[in-house]
Amino acid sequence: LLRAGVASAARWPAFAEELGLADAYRACGTLVVARDADAAEALERERALRERLGLRVTRLRGSAARRLEPGLAPGVRCALEAPDDHAVDPRDLVTALVAACEREGVTLRAGHPGPPAAGRVVLATGAWAGAPVRPVKGQILFLRDPDGPGLVDRVIRHGAHKAGGLGSGFYLVPRGDGRYVLGATMEERGFDTTVTAGAMRELLEEAQLVVPGIDELIVEEAAAGLRPGTPDNAPLIGAREDGTLLAAGHHRNGILLAPLTADAVAALLAGEQPPAEVVPFSPARFAEVAAR
């Protein structure tokens, strides 16, 4: 899955340029921060993994991390700088994709009760793709700094997200114009999309310990969405037994894997070999498990 993410990330600059996402796509880098010894050990494992994959990464002391991002709290013990990470606004991405479809003569029909008659069908309906895909709830906050950008310039990530709730982890994504996205919980709640006070409190408390200035931001929106999860939390890319092509089950990585998934589906529809990185994600892997 990580190799697929790396391959898809390499496709993103050209993908963003083709879609005209210059303002929504930012090569801003990431700081993964730790506040205690256990988190510092986890950072060291992540550093070693990134280096084995040939990804640029630098381990920083807390003081060096604060020089890069003065908005970090004094309690930050150490950090990893991943300068090649990038971010994109998913809402702007969807708008750009719709516009691209219209330019190419694709007809989009919202709320259609079923697939139209066609030689091939691609099922890409997220959490609603059917078994073995399940919904995984995530709650998120959209924040704004009335004074404009400057709280943090890089994506700030802390801790590990655990199924069933927030646990100890969050990400804070700057959009470059004073807007920030703070997320996200992981909850096994079925198709529930309610926003809860407890989840918002946990997100803000966790983030405030790392970026104290978040207290001054304006809350513009709180939302909940549904990630499409699978039993192994890896995507389903390929043909089912009935010939339907699946592009589903991407869990937390749907935006990252979008260009790679698109290339794979296009290749499969054309009768060509998909990128090697998607081969492990054939839907047949779950059928094989059931047969055993």
Side-chain angles (χ1 to χ4, degrees), residues 89-117:
D89 189 324
R91 293 177 173 180
D92 288 346
L93 171 59
V94 171
T95 299
L97 287 170
V98 169
C101 286
E102 292 173 346
R103 288 195 302 269
E104 296 297 326
V106 176
T107 300
L108 300 176
R109 291 185 286 184
H112 197 274

Side-chain angles (χ1 to χ4, degrees), residues 34-35 62-63 66 70-78 209-212:
R35 296 179 54 248
S63 57
R66 284 188 291 276
L72 294 178
V76 170
R77 179 170 181 159
C78 59
L209 291 172
V210 176
V211 186

Side-chain angles (χ1 to χ4, degrees), residues 19-104:
L19 291 172
L21 284 171
D23 294 334
Y25 172 79
R26 302 182 65 240
C28 53
T30 293
L31 276 185
V32 189
V33 303
R35 296 179 54 248
D36 55 37
D38 288 344
E41 288 181 8
L43 284 196
E44 185 59 25
R45 292 192 294 271
E46 182 165 343
R47 180 198 61 78
L49 178 60
R50 285 174 177 259
E51 288 183 345
R52 286 200 302 272
L53 289 168
L55 302 175
R56 289 201 299 162
V57 62
T58 303
R59 183 181 175 96
L60 303 171
R61 293 183 177 180
S63 57
R66 284 188 291 276
R67 283 195 293 271
L68 287 180
E69 292 289 353
L72 294 178
V76 170
R77 179 170 181 159
C78 59
L80 293 182
E81 182 191 13
D84 297 326
D85 279 6
H86 45 232
V88 68
D89 189 324
R91 293 177 173 180
D92 288 346
L93 171 59
V94 171
T95 299
L97 287 170
V98 169
C101 286
E102 292 173 346
R103 288 195 302 269
E104 296 297 326

